[in-house]
Amino acid sequence: MLAQNEIQDYLNELESNGIQLQLPELLRYKALSSILKLSPNKGSQHNRSGMDRSTFKGRGMEFDEARFYQPGDDIRSIDWRVTARTGKPHTKIFREERERPVFVFVDLSDSMQFGTQLLLKSVQAAHLASLLGFAAVARGDKFGGVIFNQTKDIESKPKAQNKSVLSVIDQMIGLQQLTLTEGKSQSASLNALQRLNYIAKPGSLVHLISDFSDFTDTHFNILGNLSRHCELMANYVYDPLEIALPEIKSKQALMVTDGENKQSIMLGDKDKNQMYRNTQSRKVSLLHNRFSSIKTPIRKISAGQPLSSQLSMGNRGFVIGETL
């Protein structure tokens, strides 16, 4: 657990109060955009003029030319018309669209307005979305997204411009402040996910940013469909208290609240602490299994640490979070 002076130092560095989103704390990620790599996972071996290699998930590939078939070429790409006309086998060469859409799906609903150490989960979610946005635009990708809380969802069409990131930032600030003042109600996550499924073009990169607390079979059915033509990455945003209780020497009651309901948690009891840890671990394992079933990697993002400290070096450059 962070000491109080460490928390304040981090908040000063992040230009944040940890509770209400503010413009400076999100704009600072423009200067950090170069450290995050958003290259596709899988590659095509065909020559192309675009920046990315295809993930072979639907459209997004345009015919470029036909050339003589070479050993190792995919036989599914043989151009039968040219082959029949010339009498020699030819294969089609495709090039990928130069700008790849990158979408963020940002949860700012009730369950995300929780934090016990550094930031509310909703604030950390907005930090990640901002970093992804500036990183996408910096490498020439289009950026857009769907942001939602418990009453509404907002769509931002993808564009390869900084103003597209600024638009999403403005929407996140407004919606998060609205969530803090509204009463509790059912999340709009399902409507938001249906909208995302409709607007995300094949070949898009989609980052889901949520605690996934209200996701049901219906949600995962939609995500399964989305994963068949897009590259999905799930970012599980959590508070340290949702993983394990603080270790203290003597027993002490801790009062927690969601803004309306209060609950007392006993700290310092080793048996109860272990039971709590096991229960929370099972929840995380279940979430991991659900995303594994739709072949979607899931990474952990703590709201108790600055986002930059959770960068790790992966095989495609710096990536965010620890894989579950």
Side-chain angles (χ1 to χ4, degrees):
M1 179 178 291
L2 297 175
Q4 192 60 43
N5 62 326
E6 290 180 302
I7 293 175
Q8 192 55 55
D9 288 343
Y10 276 138
L11 290 177
N12 291 339
E13 178 186 342
L14 296 173
E15 301 181 63
S16 173
N17 62 19
I19 300 172
Q20 288 184 313
L21 283 174
Q22 302 172 76
L23 185 59
E25 66 186 292
L26 301 182
L27 290 180
R28 69 185 292 273
Y29 287 102
K30 184 176 182 180
L32 300 175
S33 61
S34 62
I35 65 176
L36 186 62
K37 306 302 180 185
L38 297 178
S39 300
N41 273 328
K42 299 178 183 179
S44 161
Q45 298 306 312
H46 292 312
N47 295 326
R48 81 282 179 260
S49 61
M51 295 175 64
D52 300 327
R53 295 187 182 272
S54 169
T55 57
F56 289 111
K57 292 190 176 181
R59 293 179 300 171
M61 297 295 292
E62 296 180 354
F63 175 74
D64 191 22
E65 63 177 347
R67 62 158 168 77
F68 287 117
Y69 177 85
Q70 298 175 2
D73 285 346
D74 190 339
I75 60 173
R76 293 174 296 181
S77 297
I78 290 179
D79 191 325
W80 295 108
R81 289 185 179 181
V82 177
T83 298
R85 187 172 67 248
T86 63
K88 296 181 180 181
H90 281 68
T91 187
K92 296 177 182 178
I93 301 299
F94 297 89
R95 60 182 174 85
E96 191 171 18
E97 295 175 356
R98 190 168 184 81
E99 296 173 341
R100 176 188 56 162
V102 176
F103 289 89
V104 288
F105 178 78
V106 188
D107 184 354
L108 299 178
S109 60
D110 285 333
S111 66
M112 296 291 286
Q113 312 309 319
F114 179 76
T116 61
Q117 289 194 24
L118 184 65
L119 307 172
L120 294 187
K121 292 189 291 183
S122 62
V123 173
Q124 187 70 297
H127 284 203
L128 177 56
S130 299
L131 177 58
L132 288 166
F134 284 122
V137 171
R139 70 186 302 275
D141 288 335
K142 294 180 180 180
F143 176 73
V146 177
I147 302 112
F148 68 95
N149 69 353
Q150 63 270 27
T151 58
K152 64 189 297 186
D153 57 87
I154 304 173
E155 172 190 334
S156 181
K157 296 186 182 300
K159 297 179 181 178
Q161 301 170 345
N162 274 320
K163 66 180 181 181
S164 66
V165 187
L166 298 178
S167 176
V168 171
I169 285 176
D170 183 63
Q171 292 164 359
M172 290 191 297
I173 292 174
L175 200 57
Q176 196 251 2
Q177 292 177 353
L178 182 63
T179 306
L180 292 173
T181 59
E182 288 182 334
K184 288 180 66 64
S185 62
Q186 187 174 0
S187 170
S189 61
L190 188 55
N191 287 338
L193 195 56
Q194 290 170 335
R195 182 187 291 266
L196 177 68
N197 186 48
Y198 178 75
I199 66 174
K201 292 183 178 181
S204 298
L205 171 63
V206 179
H207 272 268
L208 311 168
I209 309 174
S210 175
D211 60 7
F212 307 107
S213 62
D214 71 332
F215 272 47
T216 63
D217 289 344
T218 303
H219 290 80
F220 281 98
N221 288 338
I222 296 173
L223 287 174
N225 178 66
L226 193 60
S227 69
R228 283 191 284 271
H229 62 267
C230 293
E231 181 183 347
L232 293 189
M233 169 62 76
N235 299 277
Y236 168 56
V237 183
Y238 70 96
D239 183 83
L241 190 63
E242 295 173 320
I243 302 298
L245 297 175
E247 296 287 345
I248 61 175
K249 294 181 179 180
S250 58
K251 292 184 179 182
Q252 179 180 339
L254 173 68
M255 188 67 67
V256 295
T257 178
D258 60 3
E260 293 184 1
N261 304 309
K262 294 183 179 180
Q263 180 180 352
S264 179
I265 299 177
M266 182 60 67
L267 304 181
D269 186 317
K270 291 185 178 180
D271 292 337
K272 288 186 177 180
N273 283 5
Q274 189 59 50
M275 288 177 59
Y276 179 88
R277 185 188 292 271
N278 292 342
T279 299
Q280 299 306 105
S281 179
R282 285 193 293 270
K283 289 181 180 179
V284 174
S285 294
L286 178 61
L287 188 62
H288 172 264
N289 292 338
R290 295 303 301 269
F291 277 106
S292 292
S293 70
I294 58 171
K295 297 179 173 59
T296 298
I298 178 170
R299 293 187 180 277
K300 295 166 60 178
I301 307 294
S302 173
Q305 300 177 38
L307 192 58
S308 57
S309 69
Q310 299 180 64
L311 284 169
S312 60
M313 190 65 179
N315 60 353
R316 293 187 295 139
F318 281 99
V319 295
I320 290 289
E322 174 189 353
T323 304
L324 283 183

